[in-house]
Amino acid sequence: QPTCCKGIEEAKAETFVILDSHIEVEPGWLEPLMYRLKGPEGRTRMLMPMIDGTNAETFDFEGGGIGCTLGFIWKVIEHAVPDQQKDVQKRAKRIDPVPSPTMAGGLFAANTEYFMELGGYDRQFLYWGTENLELSFRLWQCGGSLECSPCSRVYHIFRKGGHGYSIPGNAVMVNKLRTTHLWMDEFGELARAV
């Protein structure tokens, strides 16, 4: 059982935060996330911080990263996308939260009870990969929402090529196929064809 799953199940707090081990936060990063999770309207939101980059060799902070709005490409991989004009027009200020179709893996905050009502992380997933897309699709299709808070900034160390750990041969593909089967209906065929 993955450690994060066990931690969420045992959590006594109303909310929880998941951050990968290769993340560094800046002062004040948590408050904007927690603010949006408050009250009944915040219960069904998941929040992610804006993701800036850290150089993997020098550990210097870099701008860019993957920003605040993520979508996916047909290979079932998350992908940074520009803010949608319809969402930009709804924002009164640049610091207002931004809806995002999908999230990056390992960087989000949520209401503990609601997360478990959604089913938590999919227990049939193998090791690592695609859990962020599966959770994003499930969240939106089950009445929740996903937002990014531009005022919450974290720094992600992006590896240059490959994975930082070994993954059994077909684990990521199995997870992608499961995601397309469960949540993409007839559009899953398009993704599986790529």
Side-chain angles (χ1 to χ4, degrees):
Q1 168 166 289
T3 306
C4 65
C5 295
K6 184 69 173 162
I8 297 167
E9 287 172 3
E10 298 294 325
K12 304 280 189 268
E14 186 177 328
T15 59
F16 69 92
V17 176
I18 296 287
L19 289 179
D20 283 339
S21 60
H22 47 277
I23 299 294
E24 186 165 341
V25 300
E26 68 175 29
W29 71 277
L30 184 58
E31 292 85 343
L33 302 180
M34 294 296 107
Y35 178 78
R36 293 293 292 168
L37 293 175
K38 287 178 17 178
E41 68 283 349
R43 185 177 184 278
T44 59
R45 290 181 184 131
M46 287 191 192
L47 272 291
M48 63 179 185
M50 185 162 177
I51 304 164
D52 292 313
T54 297
N55 185 295
E57 295 171 5
T58 65
F59 295 103
D60 291 333
F61 298 135
E62 299 176 336
I66 57 176
C68 230
T69 311
L70 297 172
F72 70 97
I73 57 177
W74 286 111
K75 290 183 180 183
V76 195
I77 300 169
E78 82 272 356
H79 186 70
V81 296
D83 289 344
Q84 301 301 297
Q85 200 56 40
K86 66 178 179 57
D87 298 326
V88 171
Q89 292 170 353
K90 290 179 188 173
R91 294 167 68 194
K93 301 178 203 143
R94 290 188 54 185
I95 61 171
D96 288 344
V98 180
S100 182
T102 66
M103 68 172 79
L107 299 105
F108 71 96
N111 176 284
T112 308
E113 186 177 278
Y114 183 70
F115 183 77
M116 296 312 292
E117 286 173 15
L118 282 175
Y121 279 114
D122 187 327
R123 299 296 182 139
Q124 294 187 42
F125 264 43
L126 304 177
Y127 302 95
W128 171 92
T130 317
E131 68 281 350
N132 55 319
L133 296 181
E134 189 279 333
L135 185 56
S136 299
F137 295 163
R138 183 167 19 126
L139 176 65
W140 284 109
Q141 292 180 51
C142 293
S145 62
L146 175 63
E147 297 177 352
C148 176
S149 177
C151 291
S152 176
R153 305 293 287 261
V154 300
Y155 298 90
H156 184 283
I157 298 174
F158 293 97
R159 289 180 291 277
K160 292 188 177 182
H163 299 287
Y165 36 84
S166 62
I167 301 168
N170 66 346
V172 175
M173 182 54 67
V174 167
N175 295 346
K176 288 180 179 188
L177 291 172
R178 180 167 171 77
T179 298
T180 61
H181 176 74
L182 290 173
W183 300 109
M184 295 180 74
D185 298 326
E186 68 274 12
F187 298 104
E189 291 299 324
L190 294 171
R192 290 188 287 275
V194 172

